[in-house]
Amino acid sequence: MTATVPEITPQEQEQLDELYRDFAAAHMTPLWTQIGGLMPTTPRPDSVPFLWRWSTLLPLAEKAGELVPVGRGGERRAIALANPGLPGTPYATPTLWAAIQYLGPREEAPAHRHTQTAFRFVVEGEGVWTNVEGDPVAMRRGDLLLTPGMHFHEHHNTTDRPMAWIDGLDIPLVRTIDASFFEFGPDELATRETPQASRNERLWGHPGLTPVGAPTPKASPLMAYRWVHTDAALTAQLELESEGHPGVVEPGHAVVRFTNPATAGDCLSTMRCEMHRLRAGTSTGTTRTAGSSVWQVFEGSGVVTVGDERYEVGRGDLFCVPSWAGLALDTDSGLDAFRYSDEPVFEALGLARTAREDRS
């Protein structure tokens, strides 16, 4: 049965109009006129699916390298990827920031620190070291490098070749809740050492082994997750699947999540980082997740379907997935892709939700 809405008289309408004028004057808004937008039946993100091609990003970063200084004034020479659905903001999604950062031969990016949590993912190149709180960490292809909030960090290129990588931060989230603090550090590098393994790796980088004498920090104490380990873990999952053993998330689809070795939780408090591998000929199901994500193709090629959009992607390409947009991946030749998302925040707030469905 549908409830009938009684007609209102002209006098009642005049009184309502006056009430709404009084609301506006008092800076008030009645819920009953806004509930469709404030409480939709499913998420209605302002961000839209979008693809940034590496073949476009890298030449533009190289040009910026010729024209913009890397030190104070150019501050890192990081170029944000701006979602067309979020005009006027340098955000990939409402909670995630993505940028390409470019460091020329022998250049140095001076130290700073900030509330925002950050990571770097390297799709190609090597020869740059990032010093995190004075601990020199090598950056190489396939590596995930962490910079937890309020850790001083700086970069220096030790080679005669430029290098570019992707930065991911929770800048939009921190900005929205007005929690941002930022400080410049010294102009001179804390160290010019270039060890094969950083101190944090030597202490924390041993699988399944926790150093009893080390303090347990809030953020992951491991600043580098090396490709050699990531590759081996993904390879093993698909080998075990071929042998008839469990381990993959769905047929032909292996995933590893980067975790904090001190707590076994996510490696970063506000961002989840994962590596996905699809064997040749794999088509995934469709997944919807409350919260947004950004992906970068590390190797291989395939077709990505995000909502109603369909993209052919290859090495280095980045794309974003808005909240609750359906995502499906297909590859004929095989595909490796890095993914980061805001899921730890959604889980902490009790807002996490995921739906999966097979594709017919």
Side-chain angles (χ1 to χ4, degrees):
M1 178 180 295
T2 302
T4 59
V5 179
E7 294 185 6
I8 60 175
T9 66
Q11 182 180 8
E12 290 171 332
Q13 183 62 57
E14 184 177 339
Q15 292 173 332
L16 270 175
D17 291 343
E18 182 179 358
L19 176 63
Y20 290 140
R21 288 193 295 270
D22 290 342
F23 282 157
H27 299 283
M28 299 170 65
T29 302
L31 175 61
W32 58 86
T33 66
Q34 305 291 321
I35 192 168
L38 293 175
M39 298 180 179
T41 54
T42 60
R44 297 180 185 174
D46 291 325
S47 60
V48 297
F50 198 75
L51 172 70
W52 294 270
R53 295 206 177 277
W54 191 247
S55 59
T56 299
L57 298 178
L58 188 56
L60 288 172
E62 290 172 343
K63 187 172 183 180
E66 298 171 1
L67 300 174
V68 180
V70 73
R72 311 306 186 197
E75 199 56 40
R76 288 294 190 269
R77 201 190 286 121
I79 309 158
L81 311 186
N83 191 298
L86 305 171
T89 70
Y91 302 158
T93 80
T95 54
L96 302 174
W97 195 80
I100 181 172
Q101 186 171 161
Y102 184 88
L103 198 63
R106 306 292 170 179
E107 282 192 323
E108 300 176 357
H112 67 208
R113 67 177 181 175
H114 38 69
T115 314
Q116 294 83 353
T117 293
F119 70 80
R120 300 145 221 313
F121 179 70
V122 184
V123 74
E124 60 184 48
E126 61 179 62
V128 169
W129 264 258
T130 178
N131 299 329
V132 183
E133 290 290 319
D135 191 1
V137 182
M139 297 176 62
R140 309 183 187 101
R141 172 168 160 76
D143 292 347
L144 172 67
L145 300 315
L146 304 187
T147 308
M150 296 311 289
H151 282 50
F152 276 115
H153 53 285
E154 58 198 8
H155 317 307
H156 63 118
N157 189 342
T158 64
T159 74
D160 295 322
R161 301 177 303 276
M163 185 172 163
W165 60 87
I166 290 300
D167 286 347
L169 291 91
D170 55 6
I171 291 175
L173 173 67
V174 174
R175 174 64 185 87
T176 297
I177 61 177
D178 290 329
S180 179
F181 294 88
F182 180 97
E183 296 177 22
F184 288 119
D187 290 334
E188 294 295 321
L189 293 178
T191 178
R192 296 183 183 276
E193 296 179 18
T194 56
Q196 183 69 15
S198 59
R199 295 191 298 275
N200 67 81
E201 291 173 83
R202 291 163 60 193
L203 187 61
W204 288 95
H206 307 285
L209 302 173
T210 300
V212 175
T216 302
K218 293 181 179 179
S220 174
L222 184 61
M223 300 293 106
Y225 296 74
R226 299 300 181 190
W227 171 245
V228 63
H229 301 135
T230 305
D231 181 42
L234 293 168
T235 298
Q237 283 190 30
L238 293 178
E239 288 175 345
L240 288 166
E241 181 194 25
S242 297
E243 297 166 12
H245 302 293
V248 296
V249 296
E250 59 186 328
H253 185 186
V255 185
V256 291
R257 182 171 299 163
F258 299 95
T259 57
N260 181 334
T263 65
D266 282 288
C267 64
L268 295 168
S269 59
T270 56
M271 291 183 286
R272 175 160 295 165
C273 298
E274 298 175 338
M275 197 75 185
H276 292 241
R277 173 169 291 174
L278 277 63
R279 70 163 82 242
T282 296
S283 294
T284 72
T286 298
T287 302
R288 298 178 186 274
T289 302
S292 53
S293 61
V294 176
W295 295 64
Q296 183 174 33
V297 177
F298 178 67
E299 193 62 83
S301 62
V303 175
V304 175
T305 303
V306 185
D308 296 328
E309 301 296 326
R310 185 176 183 273
Y311 308 120
E312 293 185 3
V313 296
R315 178 170 166 168
D317 292 345
L318 292 106
F319 61 91
C320 65
V321 182
S323 183
W324 212 243
L327 170 68
L329 308 171
D330 299 271
T331 179
D332 292 330
S333 58
L335 178 72
D336 287 357
F338 173 76
R339 171 187 184 266
Y340 70 103
S341 72
D342 51 18
E343 287 171 275
V345 176
F346 278 65
E347 290 177 357
L349 296 176
L351 300 174
R353 180 176 294 197
T354 298
R356 296 182 177 87
E357 58 189 56
D358 294 330
R359 296 157 67 194
S360 56

